[in-house]
Amino acid sequence: MDERLAVAAVIVTAALLLAGIALAAYLHARNTGVAMDSIAILPFVNVSGDPNTEYLSDGITESLINSFSQLQPKLRVIPRSTVFRYKGQQLDSQEIGRKLGVRAVLTGRVTQRGDTVNIQTELVDVDKDSQLWGEQYNRRLSDILAVQEEIANEISEKLRLKLSGEEKKRLTKRYTENPEAYQLYLKGVYHASKFNKEELDIGLGYLRQAVAVDPDYALAYHGLVYYYYLVVDFTMSPHEAMPKAKEAAKKALEIDDTLAVAHADMGVVYWYYEWNWFAAEKEFKRAIELDPNDAITHEMYGWYLVTMGESMRGSLRPDEANNWIRSSKSIL
């Protein structure tokens, strides 16, 4: 009897040892696997049934795109201008992923009820036609910034990205600690983007509230610049709108000199309104240095070069401007 117990103990010990080895091998493979180098974050779907909450699903999508774009060139992120073409469509993650040439696709559904929000996410491996990760978050709306950070961290882990400490900071960087200011900013950009006088006025109101709630919110000042660009020759003359745009862009850079879009904003002001060619080029190049994945900045810089021409810039090759414009198309 004792002999049989001893044999059984040996068998159990061996089985546990083999299980431990298998688990270690699995964890090693998971942690040392090849990182996925590209992702498309498709427009999150607003399933609340309330068009007034559409700003939130769009805003979450854009915020995640902007966050992961900071990891260029380690990760190629399909820009907003491309993925939002699929907004409102029945989405097949595999098909869209293959069409866009990415390894992973993230989709999401957002439901807002009063001061609570439910976010459902799914990350798909396009090559293997399998789900990498899925999660559901039920939180207060005031926790939206923290939820977005959780989602970003989960995605980076599932993509097996090996991030430095600085890259992790960029991925989860908050431009404001005030969730109310953040929501006001999202609402402002959402309404202004509809580009009619009534919606533009609504958007301006929200953006002004955002900077009033948090005067150190650099991204909200960029939102104001965006508004003033949209109203040029529509509801305001350039002489009225562009100085206000410049003031907002300068304020954004005073708060955060690493904000790429604010440098691009200044580039447009110098180029389009003040005709300060050298200052404009400096700002465009700085914006591209800070965010090489921003298609809009690439395109603006390309058109800037077109307007300068051979005579203004001496060293400009005939194909240089077109190359920059084409680079924006490749990002798109």
Side-chain angles (χ1 to χ4, degrees):
M1 184 70 175
D2 290 342
E3 183 177 344
R4 289 199 297 271
L5 287 175
V7 171
V10 170
I11 293 173
V12 170
T13 301
L16 290 174
L17 180 60
L18 289 173
I21 292 172
L23 177 60
Y26 165 75
L27 292 173
H28 177 75
R30 186 189 68 178
N31 293 331
T32 61
V34 177
M36 296 188 176
D37 61 357
S38 54
I39 186 172
I41 300 172
L42 299 183
F44 280 32
V45 180
N46 171 27
V47 293
S48 302
D50 181 0
N52 292 322
T53 62
E54 192 81 11
Y55 80 93
L56 187 60
S57 53
D58 282 5
I60 292 172
T61 308
E62 292 187 44
S63 295
L64 289 172
I65 290 172
N66 292 337
S67 294
F68 279 96
S69 292
Q70 304 301 311
L71 303 182
Q72 174 81 6
K74 184 171 289 185
L75 180 69
R76 181 171 67 90
V77 182
I78 304 300
R80 180 199 188 283
S81 52
T82 298
V83 296
F84 266 76
R85 296 171 189 167
Y86 298 101
K87 182 177 168 64
Q89 300 181 21
Q90 292 293 323
L91 304 178
D92 182 325
S93 299
Q94 301 297 324
E95 180 183 348
I96 294 173
R98 286 189 289 269
K99 186 178 295 185
L100 296 176
V102 295
R103 284 291 313 278
V105 171
L106 177 72
T107 58
R109 296 164 62 85
V110 180
T111 306
Q112 182 184 341
R113 294 282 186 267
D115 63 352
T116 63
V117 61
N118 174 273
I119 303 174
Q120 301 173 46
T121 57
E122 182 182 53
L123 184 66
V124 171
D125 183 329
V126 175
D127 289 353
K128 295 183 179 179
D129 193 14
S130 62
Q131 184 187 57
L132 283 169
W133 168 74
E135 188 60 84
Q136 183 169 175
Y137 302 85
N138 288 290
R139 302 291 174 80
R140 296 181 64 84
L141 193 56
S142 58
D143 295 328
I144 189 64
L145 290 167
V147 173
Q148 287 182 185
E149 286 182 15
E150 287 183 44
I151 294 173
N153 283 324
E154 288 283 0
I155 295 170
S156 69
E157 180 182 328
K158 301 308 176 185
L159 295 179
R160 298 189 290 274
L161 299 176
K162 295 178 175 61
L163 303 181
S164 66
E166 182 59 34
E167 287 170 329
K168 289 178 181 178
K169 287 180 182 179
R170 290 205 303 269
L171 179 63
T172 58
K173 180 176 179 177
R174 291 189 186 186
Y175 292 95
T176 180
E177 294 295 331
N178 190 310
E180 181 186 359
Y182 176 64
Q183 291 172 54
L184 289 167
Y185 164 73
L186 294 183
K187 289 179 180 179
V189 172
Y190 173 78
H191 285 282
S193 297
K194 292 182 176 294
F195 198 60
N196 65 61
K197 187 178 186 309
E198 181 181 356
E199 292 288 348
L200 282 164
D201 289 344
I202 293 172
L204 176 61
Y206 280 127
L207 291 167
R208 284 176 171 168
Q209 289 180 60
V211 297
V213 169
D214 183 358
D216 293 325
Y217 190 2
L219 203 57
Y221 288 98
H222 160 68
L224 286 171
V225 178
Y226 175 66
Y227 165 83
Y228 289 121
Y229 287 167
L230 290 177
V231 299
V232 168
D233 289 329
F234 181 48
T235 62
M236 287 187 188
S237 70
H239 294 300
E240 184 180 3
M242 295 306 287
K244 294 180 179 180
K246 181 179 182 180
E247 180 182 354
K250 285 179 64 177
K251 182 63 177 177
L253 290 174
E254 287 173 7
I255 297 169
D256 184 357
D257 189 59
T258 67
L259 184 60
V261 289
H263 284 283
D265 291 339
M266 286 299 297
V268 172
V269 172
Y270 285 137
W271 162 46
Y272 175 80
Y273 182 66
E274 296 189 357
W275 297 2
N276 187 340
W277 319 128
F278 295 105
E281 182 163 28
K282 179 181 177 182
E283 293 294 343
F284 284 136
K285 286 184 173 180
R286 178 59 175 155
I288 292 168
E289 178 187 2
L290 289 167
D291 187 357
N293 210 34
D294 190 332
I296 294 176
T297 302
H298 278 257
E299 185 168 13
M300 287 192 299
Y301 183 48
W303 286 115
Y304 158 83
L305 293 175
V306 169
T307 61
M308 292 305 93
E310 186 81 34
S311 62
M312 295 295 295
R313 298 187 71 251
S315 62
L316 175 65
R317 301 189 310 275
D319 63 341
E320 185 178 354
N322 286 332
N323 285 342
W324 276 101
I325 295 171
R326 279 196 296 269
S327 74
S328 74
K329 305 302 183 187
S330 68
I331 296 173
L332 293 169

